[in-house]
Amino acid sequence: MLTIGLLWHSFISGNLGVGALSDANMRLIEDAAREVLPGQGLRFILFGPRGDHRLTAPENAARYEYVEVSALRRAAQVRRKLAACDLVFDIGEGDSFSDIYGVKRFAKVAGLKFLVPQMRRRLVLSPQTYGPFNAFWARAIAAAALSRSALVFARDVPSADRARALMRPKRAQALEIATDVAFALPPLPEWPVTFPHLEPGKMHVAINVSGLLYAGGYSGKNQFGLSLDYRALTDALVAAFAVRPDLVLWLVPHVFRIGSEGRESDLVVSRALAAASPKIRLAPQFRDAREAKAFIAAMDLVIAARMHAAIAAVSSGVACVPLSYSPKFQGLFTSLNYPFTIDLKTSGQDEAAQACLAALARLPEMRASAQAAAAMAEANLEPYRRGIRAQLRKASNLPTLEA
C-alpha cells in the first residue's frame, strides 16, 4: 500500500474551496492509481490547518488521516507523518502560496515545501496560484521552494509566468499548466433530502457574498485595493434582485470560518442580509463541497466573490459572474476563455452593478460559455493526470512509461 501525503488539504476547513480541492485531488490520484497500479491500495495523510469539525468528508472518501499543522508544537508529529509518506502533493490551499495574506500564513505554507525534500520525499506542487510575491524575501523563498519540487503545476498562465520567472531555465522545464482541480469535483448523485424545495416557474439567482471583502479585508480598510465599494455593491444587488417577482434570490455562503472577529465568514454576513427581508433566502449550511456544488448547479445565475463558488457554477454549466479581487480569478477564467469576470480592482461601482444585473438577459450565452469552459478545464487537467501517473510509478519503483 502506498501512503500519499496531501499538504494543505482539508475536509474540515471552514472554506469549502479547500474541501473541493482536497476531494477532487484525492479522486484524481485514486483514478491514476487504478490505471497504473491496479490492485495497489492507497492511504492518504492530509496535512492542514485547524478546522471546523461540524463539516464532514464525503461519504465515499478514501481511507485517510488528518494532521493539523497550525501549531509549532505539532512539528515533530508533522515530520514523522511526512516521513511515512511515499509521495507528497502540495496544493497550498489553492492560493496561499503568496505573501498577500500576510507573513505568518506565507511562512507556514512555504515552510513545509522545504521539509518534504528534507525528509527525502518527492514533492509535487499540484495546480495552484503562485504569487503574487510582492516582497523580495518572499520571492527568494518561493524560488528556493519551487526548485526543490519534482513537478510544478500552475492552474493558470499568469501563475505559471510568475513561477517560471523565479526558476532556473532547466528547472522551469518541470513546470506545466493545468487548471484548478476543483473542476474535477464530482456532483452528488441526487438532491439531498435536507435541501429546500426550489420553486418551479421562477429563476433562481444565487449571490455568494464574501464575508472577507464585505468587511474590507482583514484590516477592514480595503485591504485588497478594490476600486469600488464591495459592501455597497452587494447591498445594491441584493436589493435589486429581492424585489423582482419573477425570481428567487438565494445567498450562498462558501466560507463558514469564524475567525478574525468573523471577518472571513460568508455565513455571518449572509445571515444578516437575509434577516433584512423575507424575500431573501439563505442556502442550507453545506456539510461538504459536493453539497455546495449540487445547490449551485441548480441555480440559473450565480454571482460569486469566492473563486470556488464560481468554479462550482462554471464546472456545472451554470451562468456565472465571478467577482475578482485578486489575479487568481482573472488568470483562471481567462485561461478557460470564460469572459464574464468582473475585476473589482478596476471596475467602477455602476459598471459592476449593471454588468451583474444585465446577466439575466444573457443566460443562454453565459451557459454556453460555461459549458465550453468546463470542457476546456477537463482537457487542461490531462498534463496533471499524466504527472500523477508518472510519480505514482516512481514511488512504486516502476519504470515511467509516459513522456
Side-chain angles (χ1 to χ4, degrees):
M1 176 175 288
L2 282 183
T3 298
I4 307 298
L6 298 177
L7 281 181
W8 300 110
H9 293 66
S10 174
F11 289 123
I12 58 172
S13 169
N15 186 331
L16 290 181
V18 177
L21 292 172
S22 304
D23 189 351
N25 209 23
M26 186 181 286
R27 298 297 169 273
L28 288 169
I29 296 168
E30 288 180 308
D31 289 346
R34 279 191 286 270
E35 288 185 49
V36 300
L37 304 174
Q40 173 78 277
L42 294 184
R43 171 176 173 265
F44 292 92
I45 303 179
L46 278 62
F47 299 81
R50 185 171 55 251
D52 182 346
H53 291 273
R54 292 171 298 178
L55 298 170
T56 61
E59 290 183 1
N60 59 342
R63 179 186 175 198
Y64 77 96
E65 175 183 359
Y66 190 72
V67 178
E68 185 185 318
V69 295
S70 298
L72 285 174
R73 60 187 168 81
R74 299 183 184 272
Q77 181 193 26
V78 171
R79 289 178 63 91
R80 186 171 66 255
K81 293 297 183 180
L82 281 175
C85 296
D86 297 294
L87 178 63
V88 179
F89 293 81
D90 181 336
I91 208 160
E93 293 187 309
D95 69 341
S96 290
F97 194 19
S98 170
D99 60 356
I100 65 171
Y101 297 110
V103 175
K104 185 176 180 181
R105 185 165 167 182
F106 177 78
K108 288 180 180 179
V109 172
L112 290 179
K113 291 175 173 56
F114 293 89
L115 188 56
V116 175
Q118 187 184 97
M119 305 302 294
R120 299 191 177 185
R121 297 297 181 265
R122 296 179 68 83
L123 175 65
V124 176
L125 297 187
S126 298
Q128 60 190 278
T129 297
Y130 298 101
F133 304 108
N134 295 315
F136 74 91
W137 52 264
R139 290 192 292 274
I141 292 171
L146 288 164
S147 72
R148 286 164 171 77
S149 303
L151 291 176
V152 178
F153 292 92
R155 63 184 179 183
D156 57 71
V157 173
S159 277
D161 291 342
R162 285 192 293 270
R164 197 175 283 118
L166 298 174
M167 302 170 73
R168 294 190 180 120
K170 188 174 181 179
R171 287 294 304 146
Q173 295 176 8
L175 188 151
E176 292 193 75
I177 301 173
T179 194
D180 194 292
V181 300
F183 276 95
L185 182 71
L188 287 176
E190 57 187 19
W191 191 252
V193 295
T194 56
F195 276 19
H197 175 69
L198 298 185
E199 186 176 347
K202 291 192 175 183
M203 289 186 293
H204 291 266
V205 175
I207 299 180
N208 160 241
V209 183
S210 167
L212 186 59
L213 294 186
Y214 201 85
Y218 297 108
S219 68
K221 299 177 180 179
N222 192 20
Q223 178 183 354
F224 298 105
L226 306 188
S227 59
L228 49 73
D229 185 333
Y230 174 79
R231 180 190 289 254
L233 172 65
T234 300
D235 291 347
L237 292 175
V238 169
F241 285 124
V243 297
R244 289 191 53 152
D246 59 334
L247 63 79
V248 179
L249 175 63
W250 296 89
L251 300 183
V252 182
H254 211 258
V255 172
F256 301 99
R257 179 186 300 124
I258 308 297
S260 303
E261 299 179 349
R263 287 189 183 279
E264 287 188 77
S265 176
D266 302 351
L267 182 59
V268 170
V269 64
S270 295
R271 279 175 173 165
L273 289 169
S277 169
K279 295 182 179 180
I280 304 170
R281 302 188 189 181
L282 185 65
Q285 186 167 344
F286 310 118
R287 295 177 298 171
D288 58 47
R290 292 195 194 193
E291 285 198 351
K293 183 171 182 175
F295 191 85
I296 287 170
M299 298 291 105
D300 294 291
L301 173 65
V302 176
I303 299 171
R306 297 288 188 179
M307 193 173 79
H308 280 97
I311 289 174
V314 173
S315 65
S316 302
V318 173
C320 179
V321 181
L323 300 181
S324 167
Y325 69 92
S326 81
K328 65 181 182 180
F329 275 83
Q330 291 293 131
L332 178 73
F333 289 109
T334 299
S335 295
L336 297 174
N337 294 334
Y338 189 76
F340 299 103
T341 302
I342 295 174
D343 190 345
L344 299 182
K345 302 186 76 155
T346 61
S347 298
Q349 196 83 23
D350 291 342
E351 175 191 4
Q354 288 305 313
C356 291
L357 295 172
L360 285 175
R362 306 178 68 182
L363 293 182
E365 174 191 1
M366 294 176 73
R367 287 192 198 104
S369 187
Q371 291 164 5
M376 182 179 290
E378 176 65 23
N380 288 354
L381 279 171
E382 183 51 36
Y384 182 52
R385 290 189 173 98
R386 187 169 58 245
I388 296 172
R389 291 193 293 264
Q391 293 302 315
L392 287 174
R393 293 185 69 89
K394 287 182 178 180
S396 297
N397 296 315
L398 296 174
T400 301
L401 303 179
E402 297 178 277

